[in-house]
Amino acid sequence: EAAVTQSPRNKVAVTGGKVTLSCNQTNNHNNMYWYRQDTGHGLRLIHYSYGAGSTEKGDIPDGYKASRPSQENFSLILELATPSQTSVYFCASGDAWGRPSYEQYFGPGTRLTVL
Amino acid sequence: AQKVTQTQTSISVMEKTTVTMDCVYETQDSSYFLFWYKQTASGEIVFLIRQDSYKKENATVGHYSLNFQKPKSSIGLIITATQIEDSAVYFCAMREGNNNRIFFGDGTQLVVKP
C-alpha cells in the first residue's frame, strides 16, 4: 500500500535554531508537498516539488526552504526557527497531471514547537 | 482564481442518521477534480472520495456519496447511516486541469452523537 512517512513526529526547537523535517514516500509519485496546519484552520501550502531537484514556492514560503534530493524524499528546512512557526506540518505526495490518480496522500504529520 | 469554501464550521448529528456537508468552489477551468478528505482526531488525513468534473454521475464509495451540482459549483458530501467513528473534520478540495496543486477548504467538524 502507498505510504508517506515523516520524521520526526514531534520536535521541540529553540528560537533561531535550524530545523529539518523529512518526508519519504513509496508511492512513486512525481509530486510532493509541504503544508502547515494551525489549530482550527485548514491546510496551507508552503512548498512543493514536481520531481527530484525541483522545488516551488507555495502560498506561505517565507521562512522556509525545501529540498528534493530524490523521487522519494522531500525535506522542509527552517533555517532560523521562530515561535510563529509552531504548527503541525504535513507532507503529501501525488501523481503528476495526466496520471490516473489525482488525489494526494498524506503523511502522519510532524508537531513542531518552537520555544 | 481557485477557491474552495466550506461555510459549515461544525455539524452535530445523531448516530445512524444521514448528514450532508456543503462545499462550493471557484474555477475558470472546464476540467477539474473535486475531493473530500477526512481528518481524524489523531490528526491522520485520509482521502475519501473524488468527483471528476466531466462525469455526470455522482461518485459513491461505501457510505460516502457526493451531490455534484455543476451549475452551482457545488459538491456536497453525504454520509449515510453515520457512525461514531465518522466524527472528524472533513475537508473539501479541488484540483484544476493541468495543475498539480490541490486547493483545500477550511474544513467542517462533524460530531456524531450516540
Side-chain angles (χ1 to χ4, degrees):
Chain A
E1 182 168 325
V4 180
T5 57
Q6 295 181 230
S7 63
R9 294 293 312 278
N10 290 281
K11 173 74 176 179
V12 178
V14 296
T15 297
K18 182 177 181 178
V19 177
T20 300
L21 306 182
S22 299
C23 178
N24 177 274
Q25 56 107 353
T26 58
N27 302 328
N28 197 31
H29 287 158
N30 287 332
N31 301 335
M32 295 185 74
Y33 308 81
W34 277 106
Y35 297 89
R36 68 177 278 177
Q37 184 180 38
D38 299 299
T39 303
H41 290 82
L43 297 160
R44 293 188 289 171
L45 183 65
I46 306 170
H47 284 288
Y48 58 106
S49 168
Y50 295 130
S54 89
T55 59
E56 303 288 336
K57 293 180 179 180
D59 298 323
I60 53 166
D62 293 345
Y64 302 93
K65 290 174 58 178
S67 174
R68 181 90 182 268
S70 66
Q71 176 86 338
E72 298 79 18
N73 295 293
F74 191 36
S75 297
L76 185 68
I77 303 153
L78 291 67
E79 295 278 5
L80 295 169
T82 68
S84 64
Q85 294 175 312
T86 293
S87 188
V88 179
Y89 292 84
F90 287 95
C91 177
S93 75
D95 256 337
W97 181 256
R99 302 287 290 275
S101 170
Y102 297 104
E103 53 271 12
Q104 291 180 10
Y105 294 91
F106 285 81
T110 294
R111 183 172 298 277
L112 173 65
T113 302
V114 182
L115 301 176
Chain B
Q2 312 91 339
K3 189 176 181 181
V4 177
T5 303
Q6 297 177 251
T7 56
Q8 300 159 305
T9 303
S10 181
I11 301 175
S12 180
V13 300
M14 299 302 294
E15 190 179 14
K16 301 179 183 177
T17 61
T18 295
V19 63
T20 298
M21 282 174 270
D22 300 328
C23 175
V24 293
Y25 57 92
E26 296 178 23
T27 179
Q28 302 300 318
D29 214 313
S30 59
S31 176
Y32 51 90
F33 301 87
L34 301 163
F35 314 92
W36 280 90
Y37 286 82
K38 172 184 180 182
Q39 185 170 32
T40 65
S42 67
E44 181 185 20
I45 301 173
V46 179
F47 164 70
L48 292 178
I49 190 169
R50 180 183 106 204
Q51 178 75 41
D52 301 349
S53 63
Y54 58 87
K55 292 186 177 179
K56 294 184 178 180
E57 304 80 21
N58 290 318
T60 298
V61 176
H63 75 144
Y64 302 107
S65 61
L66 299 177
N67 179 19
F68 181 39
Q69 299 185 59
K70 196 170 183 178
K72 296 183 179 181
S73 295
S74 170
I75 184 73
L77 173 68
I78 303 167
I79 306 177
T80 57
T82 51
Q83 303 163 10
I84 302 297
E85 51 266 35
D86 290 325
S87 296
V89 177
Y90 290 82
F91 290 99
C92 177
M94 175 182 68
R95 178 178 181 176
E96 294 177 321
N98 294 324
N99 192 332
N100 288 299
R101 288 188 53 172
I102 291 181
F103 295 87
F104 289 85
D106 287 337
T108 296
Q109 172 84 54
L110 175 66
V111 176
V112 180
K113 296 180 178 179

